[in-house]
Protein backbone atom coordinates (compact mmCIF):
# COMPACT_ATOMS: atom_id res chain seq x y z
CA UNK A 1 0.00 0.00 0.00
CA UNK A 2 1.15 3.52 -0.81
CA UNK A 3 0.75 5.83 2.22
CA UNK A 4 1.49 9.56 2.05
CA UNK A 5 1.35 11.49 5.35
CA UNK A 6 0.16 15.09 5.04
CA UNK A 7 0.52 17.88 7.57
CA UNK A 8 -1.90 20.81 7.58
CA UNK A 9 0.73 22.82 5.71
CA UNK A 10 1.03 20.11 3.06
CA UNK A 11 -2.72 20.12 2.43
CA UNK A 12 -2.45 23.81 1.53
CA UNK A 13 0.55 23.21 -0.72
CA UNK A 14 -0.70 20.77 -3.35
CA UNK A 15 -0.24 22.09 -6.89
CA UNK A 16 -0.24 20.78 -10.45
CA UNK A 17 2.72 20.66 -12.80
CA UNK A 18 2.46 23.39 -15.43
CA UNK A 19 3.09 21.12 -18.42
CA UNK A 20 4.09 17.57 -19.41
CA UNK A 21 7.83 16.90 -19.63
CA UNK A 22 9.30 15.11 -22.67
CA UNK A 23 11.60 12.57 -21.02
CA UNK A 24 9.16 11.83 -18.21
CA UNK A 25 6.49 11.03 -20.81
CA UNK A 26 9.04 9.02 -22.81
CA UNK A 27 9.76 6.89 -19.74
CA UNK A 28 6.05 6.39 -19.09
CA UNK A 29 5.49 5.44 -22.76
CA UNK A 30 8.31 2.87 -22.70
CA UNK A 31 6.84 1.44 -19.51
CA UNK A 32 3.30 1.45 -20.94
CA UNK A 33 4.28 -0.50 -24.05
CA UNK A 34 5.53 -3.33 -21.81
CA UNK A 35 2.49 -3.51 -19.52
CA UNK A 36 -0.46 -5.82 -20.14
CA UNK A 37 -3.28 -4.08 -18.25
CA UNK A 38 -6.11 -2.05 -19.81
CA UNK A 39 -5.74 -3.96 -23.07
CA UNK A 40 -9.06 -2.64 -24.40
CA UNK A 41 -7.57 0.87 -24.45
CA UNK A 42 -3.84 0.26 -24.94
CA UNK A 43 -3.83 -3.05 -26.85
CA UNK A 44 -3.64 -1.66 -30.39
CA UNK A 45 -1.28 1.11 -29.31
CA UNK A 46 1.10 -1.44 -27.78
CA UNK A 47 1.02 -3.57 -30.92
CA UNK A 48 1.84 -0.53 -33.05
CA UNK A 49 4.68 0.58 -30.78
CA UNK A 50 6.03 -2.98 -30.79
CA UNK A 51 6.23 -2.81 -34.58
CA UNK A 52 7.60 0.73 -34.83
CA UNK A 53 10.11 0.89 -31.97
CA UNK A 54 13.61 0.44 -33.47
CA UNK A 55 16.15 -2.02 -32.05
CA UNK A 56 18.34 0.90 -31.03
CA UNK A 57 15.75 1.69 -28.35
CA UNK A 58 16.47 -1.65 -26.65
CA UNK A 59 18.59 -0.27 -23.77
CA UNK A 60 15.59 1.66 -22.47
CA UNK A 61 13.64 -1.58 -22.10
CA UNK A 62 16.36 -2.84 -19.76
CA UNK A 63 16.25 0.29 -17.59
CA UNK A 64 12.52 1.06 -17.64
CA UNK A 65 10.45 -1.85 -16.39
CA UNK A 66 6.63 -2.21 -16.42
CA UNK A 67 6.02 -1.48 -12.72
CA UNK A 68 7.32 2.08 -13.09
CA UNK A 69 9.73 1.83 -10.13
CA UNK A 70 12.69 2.82 -12.30
CA UNK A 71 16.00 4.74 -12.09
CA UNK A 72 14.99 8.37 -11.99
CA UNK A 73 18.05 9.65 -13.82
CA UNK A 74 16.56 8.36 -17.11
CA UNK A 75 13.50 10.59 -16.71
CA UNK A 76 14.80 14.03 -15.76
CA UNK A 77 12.45 16.98 -15.26
CA UNK A 78 13.64 18.70 -18.42
CA UNK A 79 11.55 20.85 -20.77
CA UNK A 80 13.06 19.63 -24.06
CA UNK A 81 14.65 16.52 -25.52
CA UNK A 82 18.08 18.15 -25.76
CA UNK A 83 17.95 19.45 -22.20
CA UNK A 84 16.86 16.00 -21.04
CA UNK A 85 19.63 14.18 -22.89
CA UNK A 86 22.18 16.51 -21.32
CA UNK A 87 20.71 15.91 -17.86
CA UNK A 88 20.93 12.13 -18.35
CA UNK A 89 24.60 12.39 -19.36
CA UNK A 90 25.39 14.64 -16.41
CA UNK A 91 23.89 12.09 -14.03
CA UNK A 92 26.52 9.47 -14.97
CA UNK A 93 29.10 10.25 -12.26
CA UNK A 94 26.34 10.23 -9.61
CA UNK A 95 25.18 6.65 -10.22
CA UNK A 96 25.71 4.32 -7.28
CA UNK A 97 26.55 0.64 -6.95
CA UNK A 98 23.22 0.15 -5.21
CA UNK A 99 21.46 1.60 -8.23
CA UNK A 100 23.33 -0.80 -10.51
CA UNK A 101 22.30 -3.78 -8.38
CA UNK A 102 18.64 -2.77 -8.60
CA UNK A 103 18.74 -2.15 -12.35
CA UNK A 104 20.64 -5.37 -13.07
CA UNK A 105 18.21 -7.44 -10.98
CA UNK A 106 15.25 -6.02 -12.94
CA UNK A 107 16.68 -6.14 -16.47
CA UNK A 108 15.07 -8.80 -18.70
CA UNK A 109 18.34 -9.70 -20.43
CA UNK A 110 22.07 -9.57 -19.80
CA UNK A 111 23.16 -6.86 -17.39
CA UNK A 112 26.63 -6.52 -18.97
CA UNK A 113 25.83 -3.26 -20.75
CA UNK A 114 24.34 -1.86 -17.54
CA UNK A 115 27.61 -2.58 -15.75
CA UNK A 116 29.42 -0.80 -18.59
CA UNK A 117 27.02 2.14 -18.24
CA UNK A 118 27.65 2.42 -14.49
CA UNK A 119 31.36 2.06 -15.24
CA UNK A 120 31.18 5.20 -17.42
CA UNK A 121 31.94 3.29 -20.62
CA UNK A 122 31.64 5.78 -23.49
CA UNK A 123 30.00 3.33 -25.90
CA UNK A 124 27.38 2.33 -23.34
CA UNK A 125 26.45 5.96 -22.75
CA UNK A 126 26.29 6.58 -26.49
CA UNK A 127 23.95 3.59 -26.84
CA UNK A 128 21.68 5.01 -24.12
CA UNK A 129 21.64 8.43 -25.78
CA UNK A 130 20.77 6.84 -29.14
CA UNK A 131 18.03 4.78 -27.47
CA UNK A 132 16.46 7.87 -25.90
CA UNK A 133 16.49 9.76 -29.20
CA UNK A 134 15.16 6.84 -31.26
CA UNK A 135 12.34 6.03 -28.84
CA UNK A 136 11.39 9.68 -28.45
CA UNK A 137 11.00 10.10 -32.21
CA UNK A 138 8.56 7.17 -32.33
CA UNK A 139 6.43 7.33 -29.18
CA UNK A 140 6.50 10.98 -28.07
CA UNK A 141 7.39 13.51 -30.79
CA UNK A 142 4.57 12.62 -33.26
CA UNK A 143 1.98 12.72 -30.46
CA UNK A 144 3.12 15.70 -28.40
CA UNK A 145 0.00 17.76 -29.19
CA UNK A 146 -2.23 14.90 -27.99
CA UNK A 147 -0.07 14.37 -24.88
CA UNK A 148 -0.48 18.03 -23.97
CA UNK A 149 -4.22 17.86 -24.67
CA UNK A 150 -4.65 14.93 -22.27
CA UNK A 151 -2.46 16.61 -19.64
CA UNK A 152 -4.25 19.96 -19.78
CA UNK A 153 -7.72 18.41 -19.78
CA UNK A 154 -6.91 16.34 -16.69
CA UNK A 155 -5.47 19.34 -14.83
CA UNK A 156 -8.53 21.42 -15.76
CA UNK A 157 -10.88 18.71 -14.47
CA UNK A 158 -9.07 18.09 -11.19
CA UNK A 159 -8.66 21.81 -10.57
CA UNK A 160 -12.44 22.08 -10.83
CA UNK A 161 -12.82 19.04 -8.56
CA UNK A 162 -10.41 20.59 -6.06
CA UNK A 163 -12.34 23.86 -6.02
CA UNK A 164 -15.75 22.18 -5.65
CA UNK A 165 -14.96 19.27 -3.32
CA UNK A 166 -11.50 19.80 -1.80
CA UNK A 167 -8.10 18.19 -1.95
CA UNK A 168 -9.23 14.85 -0.51
CA UNK A 169 -11.74 14.25 -3.33
CA UNK A 170 -9.19 15.44 -5.89
CA UNK A 171 -6.52 12.93 -4.79
CA UNK A 172 -8.97 10.09 -4.13
CA UNK A 173 -10.04 10.29 -7.79
CA UNK A 174 -6.55 9.41 -9.05
CA UNK A 175 -7.04 5.64 -8.62
CA UNK A 176 -9.92 3.24 -7.83
CA UNK A 177 -8.09 2.00 -4.72
CA UNK A 178 -7.22 5.49 -3.43
CA UNK A 179 -8.70 7.01 -0.29
CA UNK A 180 -7.91 8.71 3.00
CA UNK A 181 -7.35 7.66 6.59
CA UNK A 182 -7.36 10.94 8.47
CA UNK A 183 -4.61 13.02 6.88
CA UNK A 184 -2.92 10.00 5.28
CA UNK A 185 -3.52 9.47 1.56
CA UNK A 186 -3.61 5.72 0.85
CA UNK A 187 -3.67 3.60 -2.30
CA UNK A 188 -4.39 -0.04 -1.47
CA UNK A 189 -2.17 -1.60 -4.13
CA UNK A 190 1.29 -3.20 -3.71
CA UNK A 191 4.16 -2.54 -3.33
CA UNK A 192 4.29 -1.04 0.16
CA UNK A 193 5.73 2.48 0.27
CA UNK A 194 5.34 5.20 2.89
CA UNK A 195 6.48 8.83 2.96
CA UNK A 196 5.98 11.88 5.17
CA UNK A 197 5.75 15.16 3.30
CA UNK A 198 6.79 17.21 6.36
CA UNK A 199 5.65 20.54 4.94
CA UNK A 200 7.19 20.13 1.49
CA UNK A 201 3.79 19.88 -0.19
CA UNK A 202 3.05 17.77 -3.25
CA UNK A 203 3.29 18.32 -6.99
CA UNK A 204 0.70 16.46 -9.12
CA UNK A 205 1.48 15.30 -12.66
CA UNK A 206 -0.94 13.32 -14.84
CA UNK A 207 0.45 11.06 -17.56
CA UNK A 208 -1.58 9.84 -20.56
CA UNK A 209 0.64 6.73 -20.74
CA UNK A 210 0.65 5.49 -17.14
CA UNK A 211 -1.97 2.88 -16.19
CA UNK A 212 -0.99 1.72 -12.69
CA UNK A 213 -1.32 3.12 -9.18
CA UNK A 214 0.04 6.63 -8.52
CA UNK A 215 3.84 6.79 -8.41
CA UNK A 216 5.71 8.91 -5.88
CA UNK A 217 9.10 10.37 -6.74
CA UNK A 218 11.41 13.20 -5.80
CA UNK A 219 10.38 16.09 -8.03
CA UNK A 220 12.03 19.38 -8.96
CA UNK A 221 14.00 21.01 -6.13
CA UNK A 222 13.41 17.96 -3.94
CA UNK A 223 9.66 18.45 -3.76
CA UNK A 224 7.66 15.19 -3.72
CA UNK A 225 5.86 14.48 -6.98
CA UNK A 226 2.85 12.21 -7.48
CA UNK A 227 2.41 10.91 -11.01
CA UNK A 228 -0.94 9.32 -11.82
CA UNK A 229 -2.89 8.08 -14.83
CA UNK A 230 -4.54 10.94 -16.71
CA UNK A 231 -8.31 10.68 -16.99
CA UNK A 232 -8.02 10.30 -20.77
CA UNK A 233 -5.18 7.96 -21.86
CA UNK A 234 -3.35 8.73 -25.09
CA UNK A 235 -5.12 6.13 -27.29
CA UNK A 236 -8.45 7.84 -26.55
CA UNK A 237 -7.26 11.35 -27.43
CA UNK A 238 -8.41 12.22 -30.94
CA UNK A 239 -5.86 13.25 -33.60
CA UNK A 240 -7.57 16.60 -34.20
CA UNK A 241 -9.12 19.31 -32.10
CA UNK A 242 -11.89 18.08 -29.82
CA UNK A 243 -15.44 19.07 -30.75
CA UNK A 244 -16.19 20.31 -27.23
CA UNK A 245 -14.81 20.73 -23.74
CA UNK A 246 -16.17 17.37 -22.63
CA UNK A 247 -14.57 15.52 -25.55
CA UNK A 248 -11.25 17.22 -24.78
CA UNK A 249 -11.42 16.08 -21.17
CA UNK A 250 -12.76 12.56 -21.49
CA UNK A 251 -12.25 11.54 -25.10
CA UNK A 252 -15.19 11.26 -27.48
CA UNK A 253 -16.29 7.72 -26.57
CA UNK A 254 -15.97 8.18 -22.82
CA UNK A 255 -17.87 11.47 -23.02
CA UNK A 256 -20.61 9.62 -24.90
CA UNK A 257 -20.72 6.98 -22.15
CA UNK A 258 -21.19 9.66 -19.50
CA UNK A 259 -23.90 11.38 -21.55
CA UNK A 260 -25.86 8.13 -21.90
CA UNK A 261 -25.63 7.48 -18.17
CA UNK A 262 -27.88 10.40 -17.32
CA UNK A 263 -30.31 7.48 -17.48
CA UNK A 264 -29.28 4.20 -15.83
CA UNK A 265 -27.94 1.62 -18.27
CA UNK A 266 -26.33 -1.80 -18.14
CA UNK A 267 -22.90 -2.59 -19.53
CA UNK A 268 -24.54 -4.49 -22.41
CA UNK A 269 -26.83 -1.57 -23.24
CA UNK A 270 -23.87 0.82 -23.37
CA UNK A 271 -21.98 -1.56 -25.68
CA UNK A 272 -25.01 -1.83 -27.95
CA UNK A 273 -25.84 1.88 -28.03
CA UNK A 274 -22.26 2.96 -28.71
CA UNK A 275 -21.31 -0.02 -30.90
CA UNK A 276 -18.21 -0.85 -28.85
CA UNK A 277 -17.06 -4.05 -27.14
CA UNK A 278 -17.97 -5.06 -23.59
CA UNK A 279 -14.30 -4.87 -22.46
CA UNK A 280 -14.13 -1.30 -23.82
CA UNK A 281 -17.26 -0.35 -21.89
CA UNK A 282 -15.76 -1.83 -18.72
CA UNK A 283 -12.54 0.20 -19.17
CA UNK A 284 -14.50 3.43 -19.68
CA UNK A 285 -16.87 2.89 -16.76
CA UNK A 286 -13.99 1.94 -14.44
CA UNK A 287 -12.24 5.25 -15.12
CA UNK A 288 -15.43 7.31 -14.88
CA UNK A 289 -16.26 5.56 -11.59
CA UNK A 290 -12.76 6.25 -10.20
CA UNK A 291 -13.22 9.94 -11.04
CA UNK A 292 -16.51 10.03 -9.14
CA UNK A 293 -18.54 10.70 -12.29
CA UNK A 294 -20.64 7.51 -12.25
CA UNK A 295 -21.75 4.83 -9.80
CA UNK A 296 -22.08 1.12 -10.48
CA UNK A 297 -24.25 -1.44 -8.75
CA UNK A 298 -25.33 -5.03 -9.33
CA UNK A 299 -28.89 -6.18 -9.85
CA UNK A 300 -28.70 -9.96 -10.09
CA UNK A 301 -26.47 -10.70 -13.09
CA UNK A 302 -26.84 -7.20 -14.52
CA UNK A 303 -24.35 -4.40 -13.83
CA UNK A 304 -26.06 -1.00 -13.73
CA UNK A 305 -24.32 2.33 -14.25
CA UNK A 306 -25.58 5.87 -13.74
CA UNK A 307 -24.11 9.36 -13.61
CA UNK A 308 -23.48 10.95 -10.21
CA UNK A 309 -24.37 14.52 -9.36
CA UNK A 310 -20.76 15.43 -10.12
CA UNK A 311 -21.04 13.73 -13.51
CA UNK A 312 -24.24 15.58 -14.37
CA UNK A 313 -22.63 18.84 -13.26
CA UNK A 314 -19.70 18.15 -15.59
CA UNK A 315 -22.09 17.46 -18.47
CA UNK A 316 -23.82 20.79 -17.89
CA UNK A 317 -20.55 22.72 -17.66
CA UNK A 318 -19.23 21.02 -20.78
CA UNK A 319 -22.24 21.97 -22.86
Amino acid sequence: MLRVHFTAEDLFNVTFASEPLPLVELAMAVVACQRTDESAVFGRWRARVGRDLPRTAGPLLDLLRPDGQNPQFVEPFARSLEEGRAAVREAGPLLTAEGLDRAAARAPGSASWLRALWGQDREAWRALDDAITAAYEVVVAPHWTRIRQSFRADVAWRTRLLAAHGIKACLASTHPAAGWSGTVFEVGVAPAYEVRLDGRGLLLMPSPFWTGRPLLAEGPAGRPLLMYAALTPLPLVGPGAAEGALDALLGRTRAAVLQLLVEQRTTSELARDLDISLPSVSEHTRTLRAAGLITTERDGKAVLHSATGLGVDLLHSGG
Side-chain angles (χ1 to χ4, degrees):
M1 173 184 289
L2 172 66
R3 303 184 81 239
V4 183
H5 295 258
F6 284 74
T7 65
E9 184 179 356
D10 294 315
L11 290 169
F12 287 111
N13 192 21
V14 177
T15 58
F16 291 92
S18 60
E19 60 183 336
L21 299 174
L23 262 66
V24 173
E25 293 306 333
L26 172 62
M28 292 297 100
V30 171
V31 166
C33 75
Q34 300 175 78
R35 292 176 65 87
T36 57
D37 58 339
E38 298 205 22
S39 58
V41 174
F42 277 89
R44 291 184 180 179
W45 177 85
R46 287 176 179 133
R48 185 167 61 252
V49 170
R51 293 192 305 267
D52 297 344
L53 203 62
R55 294 186 64 182
T56 51
L60 281 181
L61 302 181
D62 286 333
L63 279 170
L64 300 170
R65 305 305 300 142
D67 62 5
Q69 305 293 324
N70 293 308
Q72 200 167 340
F73 82 92
V74 197
E75 42 189 273
F77 301 113
R79 298 185 181 277
S80 70
L81 173 63
E82 291 307 316
E83 182 184 332
R85 290 170 61 199
V88 171
R89 290 192 294 268
E90 290 168 5
L94 305 177
L95 300 184
T96 64
E98 181 183 4
L100 170 60
D101 291 342
R102 285 198 303 268
R106 292 159 53 82
S110 170
S112 59
W113 93 269
L114 290 173
R115 295 190 184 93
L117 188 75
W118 258 257
Q120 306 306 311
D121 178 79
R122 187 172 300 177
E123 289 303 316
W125 280 92
R126 183 176 295 116
L128 177 58
D129 188 65
D130 290 345
I132 290 171
T133 303
Y136 180 86
E137 293 300 326
V138 170
V139 297
V140 173
H143 311 294
W144 189 245
T145 299
R146 296 166 62 211
I147 291 169
R148 292 177 68 187
Q149 181 178 331
S150 172
F151 179 96
R152 290 175 175 176
D154 186 278
V155 170
W157 157 242
R158 294 190 201 279
T159 300
R160 177 184 176 86
L161 189 61
L162 177 64
H165 299 276
I167 185 59
K168 288 193 172 183
C170 178
L171 284 176
S173 70
T174 59
H175 191 273
W180 289 83
S181 176
T183 57
V184 181
F185 173 63
E186 299 179 334
V187 186
V189 181
Y193 190 72
E194 191 160 2
V195 68
R196 296 180 183 275
L197 298 180
D198 293 330
R200 293 173 293 168
L202 188 65
L203 184 65
L204 304 180
M205 179 178 286
S207 171
F209 292 108
W210 180 237
T211 58
R213 80 158 197 199
L215 299 172
L216 195 65
E218 183 177 329
R223 187 182 184 193
L225 178 146
L226 190 76
M227 176 167 285
Y228 60 90
L231 190 60
T232 305
L234 188 76
L236 298 183
V237 180
E243 293 181 1
L246 200 60
D247 287 352
L249 171 62
L250 300 177
R252 194 162 299 151
T253 302
R254 195 172 289 169
V257 171
L258 181 59
Q259 288 166 341
L260 287 176
L261 291 181
V262 170
E263 297 181 1
Q264 193 174 64
R265 281 176 166 81
T266 67
T267 302
S268 298
E269 287 171 338
L270 287 170
R272 180 199 64 205
D273 293 346
L274 295 172
D275 193 25
I276 59 178
S277 69
L278 289 172
S280 291
V281 172
S282 296
E283 293 285 358
H284 292 313
T285 54
R286 182 191 64 79
T287 300
L288 292 171
R289 186 167 54 253
L293 299 177
I294 70 169
T295 60
T296 299
E297 59 186 82
R298 283 194 173 273
D299 183 9
K301 293 184 178 180
V303 178
L304 303 172
H305 311 281
S306 57
T308 62
L310 190 62
V312 172
D313 180 53
L314 179 62
L315 287 169
H316 288 160
S317 66

